[in-house]
Amino acid sequence: MAGRGWQIAALTTAGWLAALPAFAACEDVPPEQRLQNTAPRDIGRSLDRIREEGWIEIAVYEDFRPWSWEEAGKPRGIDVELGRLIAEDLGVTPRFRFVQAGETLDQDLLNYVYKGATVGGHVSNLFLHVPYDVDYACRFDQVTFTGLYGEEHLAIAYRSDDYPEKGPVPAYFRYDTVGVENDSISDFYLTGFARGQTADKINRYTTTGAAMAGLAAGEVMAVMGPRAELEAALAPGLTLHEPPLPGLARSKWTLGLALSFQHRPLGYAVDDAIAAGLADGRIAAIFADYGVSFTPPLR
């Protein structure tokens, strides 16, 4: 089962496990070649039309605590509240579209941002929780990446009674059991750590939340994953930390949103709304309301 943990691995897999040379943004990346005489694409709605019709559709991932999920039929989560903040600034009503995570981020951008799924699909006006990487963004001239609103960090949650003096580091998992979301960056990292010496101690779960439930039940001694997802599932007797992760070139990433490049005025307006929410503390308060640490993005 694909999970949101693939998002980061999808930007580059092995490239995140070893440092790469630095190049200027978009250097040597040719623009995409658009095919002629292809079927028309759904390009969504302009800012003027959104304001005229009084609503905006915002795509968020389903079953993705603490970011976005439905509870008793009502949308909840950090990304949902961010969507409401944006809609309020635009003077319109938000409509949330809960979508499934695909196998790759490329696929999700195609399905929800600039083309629409082949069967019965349509693009949404905004797509939240998109990890931002300048080199990855260079590949997509049909997508505008904007509205950077926070950072996500990899962390390790653990049982306090198993590690009373200090939290575990990856080398411990040569001997101690650890849970991860299947096919996530944590899974890839620990599987290859120390030439595979930790591989047989890894327990794989469908989601990070399920791994945290396994930790609470004593199935594993620790869980590695995105900090926000770990914090959202902390139970009594569990804690977490952010230790050094040797061999991993990047253990944190910036979160933003994506929309069709054809609607840049909407992108500018949305980015202004996010900037205002960061400046006056509303976005930090949203994270606090869900018990999640907030790190302002570098914008």
Side-chain angles (χ1 to χ4, degrees):
M1 174 181 178
R4 271 69 47 163
W6 54 257
Q7 288 182 315
I8 307 308
L11 300 185
T12 166
T13 52
W16 279 43
L17 302 180
L20 296 178
F23 297 98
C26 299
E27 183 178 354
D28 297 327
V29 179
E32 292 179 312
Q33 300 299 311
R34 292 186 178 84
L35 298 177
Q36 301 299 313
N37 301 319
T38 57
R41 290 184 173 185
D42 175 9
I43 62 170
R45 298 154 69 232
S46 68
L47 176 59
D48 287 343
R49 182 178 168 191
I50 288 168
R51 283 178 166 155
E52 179 182 341
E53 296 178 347
W55 59 274
I56 185 169
E57 183 178 278
I58 302 170
V60 294
Y61 286 116
E62 65 182 9
D63 299 328
F64 190 27
R65 296 174 184 255
W67 300 102
S68 48
W69 76 96
E70 290 185 275
E71 189 171 306
K74 295 183 179 181
R76 294 202 60 199
I78 295 171
D79 287 338
V80 168
E81 297 305 325
L82 286 168
R84 289 176 175 144
L85 181 153
I86 292 167
E88 181 180 5
D89 193 85
L90 297 179
V92 298
T93 300
R95 297 182 181 178
F96 293 99
R97 175 189 182 190
F98 286 87
V99 300
Q100 292 184 340
E103 293 297 327
T104 66
L105 181 55
D106 294 31
Q107 180 181 338
D108 286 354
L109 292 174
L110 183 149
N111 287 340
Y112 310 131
V113 175
Y114 69 89
K115 184 178 180 181
T118 302
V119 179
H122 71 279
V123 302
S124 295
N125 304 124
L126 300 175
F127 182 35
L128 283 175
H129 212 89
V130 176
Y132 179 74
D133 176 88
V134 65
D135 295 321
Y136 181 78
C138 288
R139 293 173 44 195
F140 289 90
D141 55 8
Q142 329 93 314
V143 178
T144 294
F145 298 85
T146 188
L148 308 183
Y149 59 82
E151 282 189 359
E152 183 63 286
H153 296 202
L154 289 176
I156 295 177
Y158 57 94
R159 303 175 62 85
S160 301
D161 54 357
D162 287 332
Y163 304 99
E165 297 183 1
K166 63 178 182 179
V169 298
Y172 286 29
F173 305 134
R174 291 177 293 177
Y175 312 103
D176 299 346
T177 54
V178 59
V180 297
E181 179 177 324
N182 189 42
D183 287 340
S184 66
I185 187 64
S186 299
D187 185 0
F188 298 147
Y189 172 69
L190 290 178
T191 298
F193 183 77
R195 298 184 178 180
Q197 293 182 36
T198 61
D200 64 342
K201 296 298 182 181
I202 298 173
N203 289 32
R204 294 175 176 84
Y205 295 84
T206 55
T207 66
T208 301
M212 289 296 288
L215 177 61
E219 297 171 2
V220 291
M221 297 171 64
V223 170
M224 182 176 171
R227 181 173 185 126
E229 295 175 61
L230 302 181
E231 288 180 319
L234 283 177
L238 306 182
T239 189
L240 58 77
H241 72 147
E242 292 183 37
L245 301 173
L248 186 62
R250 194 181 306 182
S251 61
K252 60 183 179 181
W253 54 94
T254 302
L255 296 173
L257 54 86
L259 68 156
S260 169
F261 82 104
Q262 305 208 41
H263 300 304
R264 289 192 181 275
L266 174 61
Y268 297 141
V270 167
D271 194 61
D272 287 345
I274 293 292
L278 290 169
D280 63 18
R282 284 177 292 160
I283 290 179
I286 289 171
F287 279 73
D289 287 344
Y290 283 89
V292 172
S293 300
F294 173 66
T295 303
L298 181 63
R299 289 169 56 88

